[in-house]
Amino acid sequence: NAGVTQTPKFRILKIGQSMTLQCTQDMNHNYMYWYRQDPGMGLKLIYYSVGAGITDKGEVPNGYNVSRSTTEDFPLRLELAAPSQTSVYFCASSYSAASGSETQYFGPGTRLLVL
Amino acid sequence: QQQVKQSPQSLIVQKGGIPIINCAYENTAFDYFPWYQQFPGKGPALLIAIRPDVSEKKEGRFTISFNKSAKQFSLHIMDSQPGDSATYFCAASGPSSASKIIFGSGTRLSIRP
């Protein structure tokens, strides 16, 4: 199993440009998550999904959109990039979270720089 | 109420020492407290986790101590090694339809040879 894979690894965007961060998992996990990690700020949840066709906002959703058309894929869309979106983005997945104790498995991250 | 406060922000320990990282929470509905370890350039990975019905959990050189009444928990690393140098995140989650994890701000640990 490859686990959680993310592409690209690094990207530079100009202000106002758009892009899609790709995330794929091959563990047949129901739950998927997008986080951003800023220095000294921990991980902030952007969006999450509990299954195909179902998504919901996390703590910091403004400026982002997601979709979940399949169990495996959970892309994150930035429509109008802003310098405040410069960060490292992590995708994660878990089998189920009904008990509140399922391990989240993280991808390697995408480093995004908006200039 | 949803915050998890973590300290210190950074920590330097000599090899063989016992680094201790502390976390505090406010939401008494939290019932799962994992610790994640992150190496540079990598995603976080689950290290060890505890539930509030026990006061301590050990896995190898890593120990979580949990104080339910104080709403605090801590990570101890016994006989620390340079390979333990990483960023450590405490976290908390509670029973919900998606069990979103609330992460602490992280501790950058450096173990000197």
Side-chain angles (χ1 to χ4, degrees):
Chain A
N1 286 350
V4 180
T5 57
Q6 291 182 239
T7 57
K9 290 184 179 180
F10 176 67
R11 182 76 181 269
I12 299 175
L13 280 183
K14 294 182 179 179
I15 294 172
Q17 285 186 322
S18 61
M19 77 164 293
T20 299
L21 282 67
Q22 301 292 344
C23 175
T24 299
Q25 54 91 8
D26 63 358
M27 297 175 281
N28 199 31
H29 284 171
N30 300 324
Y31 292 75
M32 296 187 75
Y33 312 82
W34 273 107
Y35 295 90
R36 59 177 288 171
Q37 183 177 28
D38 301 312
M41 298 297 290
L43 293 138
K44 302 293 185 183
L45 183 65
I46 304 171
Y47 270 95
Y48 66 99
S49 169
V50 301
I54 306 170
T55 63
D56 205 349
K57 296 178 181 179
E59 186 179 357
V60 290
N62 291 345
Y64 307 94
N65 278 300
V66 294
S67 60
R68 183 96 181 270
S69 58
T70 67
T71 299
E72 295 78 19
D73 301 306
F74 190 39
L76 177 71
R77 179 81 176 166
L78 282 71
E79 291 294 349
L80 292 170
S84 62
Q85 293 178 305
T86 293
S87 188
V88 180
Y89 292 85
F90 288 100
C91 179
S93 71
S94 65
Y95 177 63
S96 75
S99 66
S101 64
E102 294 297 334
T103 302
Q104 289 191 12
Y105 295 86
F106 284 79
T110 293
R111 185 176 298 273
L112 177 65
L113 179 61
V114 182
L115 300 174
Chain B
Q1 267 266 323
Q2 290 297 317
Q3 277 190 324
V4 177
K5 296 182 179 179
Q6 182 172 348
S7 64
Q9 187 172 10
S10 63
L11 185 58
I12 300 174
V13 173
Q14 290 294 126
K15 176 184 175 182
I18 305 176
I20 300 172
I21 304 170
N22 300 298
C23 287
Y25 64 99
E26 295 182 356
N27 188 347
T28 55
F30 288 147
D31 65 353
Y32 179 64
F33 301 89
W35 285 86
Y36 280 76
Q37 180 187 54
Q38 183 181 30
F39 292 107
K42 303 293 185 181
L46 180 68
L47 179 65
I48 186 174
I50 195 169
R51 288 194 171 277
D53 53 348
V54 296
S55 61
E56 186 176 276
K57 183 174 182 180
K58 291 183 180 181
E59 285 187 6
R61 296 183 293 107
F62 299 91
T63 299
I64 301 178
S65 297
F66 189 86
N67 186 329
K68 187 175 181 178
S69 61
K71 291 184 284 186
Q72 295 176 348
F73 58 109
S74 60
L75 177 70
H76 299 60
I77 305 176
M78 308 300 291
D79 188 26
S80 59
Q81 302 296 314
D84 297 329
S85 297
T87 299
Y88 292 82
F89 294 96
C90 63
S93 69
S96 74
S97 61
S99 289
K100 299 182 290 293
I101 292 179
I102 309 298
F103 285 91
S105 56
T107 296
R108 181 172 291 186
L109 174 65
S110 178
I111 307 297
R112 292 194 169 160

